[in-house]
């Protein structure tokens, strides 16, 4: 059957991409949709598949984690869970027809974030004095809600936010990125499951492939020059967005 190999391949490569540079959602969502899964269910199922990678990444950076200026660790956890819940709840009430129309624009936005991620992080990193706690909290809540609704480009947004808040240590930023991603994705997955919009056979199959991809595929991906890998992901995002627009 063509569908299963496609899902396995997409999840494997997505796991490797997320381990190295991000962009895995550009593959898992379209792969599920192209095998006949409704867009909202495909988004939820693909998010479930990538959860172990976030958890492993957070564990790997556990000794480097440090909350950004203006936020405590407790606040980061609470805002991640609250925002992820809000985004997931919004996805539950989004009709498939509406989400199908929104998906290509979300993909294009996420692709743009990925393409200009270094410049965005450099600009955000210029704010060394941080922000007021309420502004930091609002920014964290907004990014977490985006992640609970649509996962693409989440890592870039989080790194930019942490830089804007005045965080400078890259390991600490990456650790917090993985922690926040894991937290908001975990609560979103729980809400998706409660809402009955997860296809568990596909999700579990892709989860195994994504975990293997993150562990073994990242070794091969790291041999590619960073610009080649980045623009390959950008090209994938543009192609997928174009296909969604064409199918509308």
């Amino acid at each position: 059957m063509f569908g299963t190999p496609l899902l396995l391949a997409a999840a494997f490569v997505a796991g490797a991409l997320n381990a190295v540079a991000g962009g895995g959602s550009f593959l898992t969502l379209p792969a599920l949709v192209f095998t006949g899964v409704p867009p909202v269910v495909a988004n939820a199922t693909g998010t479930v598949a990538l959860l172990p990678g976030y958890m492993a990444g957070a564990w790997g950076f556990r000794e480097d984690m440090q909350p950004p200026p203006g936020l405590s660790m407790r606040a980061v956890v609470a805002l991640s869970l609250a925002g992820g819940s809000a985004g997931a709840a919004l996805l539950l009430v989004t009709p498939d027809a509406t989400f199908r129309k929104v998906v290509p624009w979300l993909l294009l936005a996420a692709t743009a974030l990925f393409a200009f991620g270094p410049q965005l992080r450099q600009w955000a990193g210029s704010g060394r004095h941080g922000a007021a706690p309420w502004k930091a909290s609002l920014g964290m809540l907004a990014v977490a809600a985006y992640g609970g609704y649509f996962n693409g480009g989440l890592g870039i947004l989080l790194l930019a936010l942490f830089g804007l808040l005045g965080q400078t240590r890259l390991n600490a930023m990456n650790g917090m990125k993985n922690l926040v991603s894991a937290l908001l994705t975990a609560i979103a997955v729980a809400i998706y499951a409660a809402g009955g919009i997860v296809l568990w056979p596909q999700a579990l199959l892709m989860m195994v492939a994504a975990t293997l991809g993150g562990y073994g595929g990242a070794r091969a991906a790291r041999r590619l020059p960073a610009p080649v890998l980045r623009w390959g992901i950008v090209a994938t995002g543009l192609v997928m967005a174009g296909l969604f627009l064409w199918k509308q």
Side-chain angles (χ1 to χ4, degrees), residues 170-228:
L170 185 59
N171 282 347
M173 293 169 73
N174 273 320
M176 293 304 298
K177 178 198 73 174
N178 283 290
L179 175 64
V180 171
S181 297
L183 287 170
L184 69 88
T185 301
I187 192 66
V189 164
I191 292 173
Y192 297 157
I197 62 170
V198 177
L199 292 180
W200 287 106
Q202 288 92 326
L204 294 174
L205 191 69
M206 295 176 75
M207 189 180 292
V208 173
T211 303
L212 291 173
Y215 180 77
R219 289 183 175 269
R222 288 181 68 185
R223 297 175 186 171
L224 294 173
V228 173

Side-chain angles (χ1 to χ4, degrees), residues 125-153:
S126 62
R128 298 301 186 198
H129 300 293
W134 72 269
K135 291 182 179 179
S137 298
L138 188 61
M140 178 63 67
L141 189 65
V143 173
Y146 170 88
Y149 185 79
F150 184 72
N151 209 256

Side-chain angles (χ1 to χ4, degrees), residues 26 107-117 156 234 238:
F26 295 159
L107 281 171
L108 286 172
T111 301
L113 285 172
F114 191 86
F116 299 104
I156 294 295
V234 169
L238 291 174

Side-chain angles (χ1 to χ4, degrees), residues 8-234:
L8 285 172
F12 182 87
V13 178
L17 290 178
N18 277 350
V20 178
S25 300
F26 295 159
L27 297 175
T28 54
L29 173 62
L32 284 159
V33 170
F34 294 155
T35 57
V37 179
V40 169
V41 177
N43 189 54
T45 302
T47 300
V48 173
L50 297 176
L51 175 58
Y54 292 135
M55 296 175 70
W59 179 253
F61 279 105
R62 64 190 181 280
E63 296 176 349
D64 299 300
M65 287 185 191
Q66 181 182 4
L71 292 173
S72 65
M73 187 65 79
R74 182 176 298 180
V76 169
V77 172
L79 291 166
S80 299
L81 295 174
S85 300
L90 180 60
L91 183 68
L92 284 181
V93 299
T94 302
D96 271 311
T98 301
F99 192 71
R100 185 180 291 276
K101 293 179 180 178
V102 171
V103 161
W105 304 109
L106 288 173
L107 281 171
L108 286 172
T111 301
L113 285 172
F114 191 86
F116 299 104
Q119 293 90 336
L120 182 60
R121 290 197 298 271
Q122 184 178 11
W123 169 79
S126 62
R128 298 301 186 198
H129 300 293
W134 72 269
K135 291 182 179 179
S137 298
L138 188 61
M140 178 63 67
L141 189 65
V143 173
Y146 170 88
Y149 185 79
F150 184 72
N151 209 256
L154 174 61
I156 294 295
L157 277 177
L158 284 170
L159 289 174
L161 174 65
F162 296 149
L164 187 63
L165 295 180
Q167 200 164 29
T168 58
R169 291 179 54 241
L170 185 59
N171 282 347
M173 293 169 73
N174 273 320
M176 293 304 298
K177 178 198 73 174
N178 283 290
L179 175 64
V180 171
S181 297
L183 287 170
L184 69 88
T185 301
I187 192 66
V189 164
I191 292 173
Y192 297 157
I197 62 170
V198 177
L199 292 180
W200 287 106
Q202 288 92 326
L204 294 174
L205 191 69
M206 295 176 75
M207 189 180 292
V208 173
T211 303
L212 291 173
Y215 180 77
R219 289 183 175 269
R222 288 181 68 185
R223 297 175 186 171
L224 294 173
V228 173
L229 184 62
R230 172 168 296 278
W231 290 110
I233 296 172
V234 169

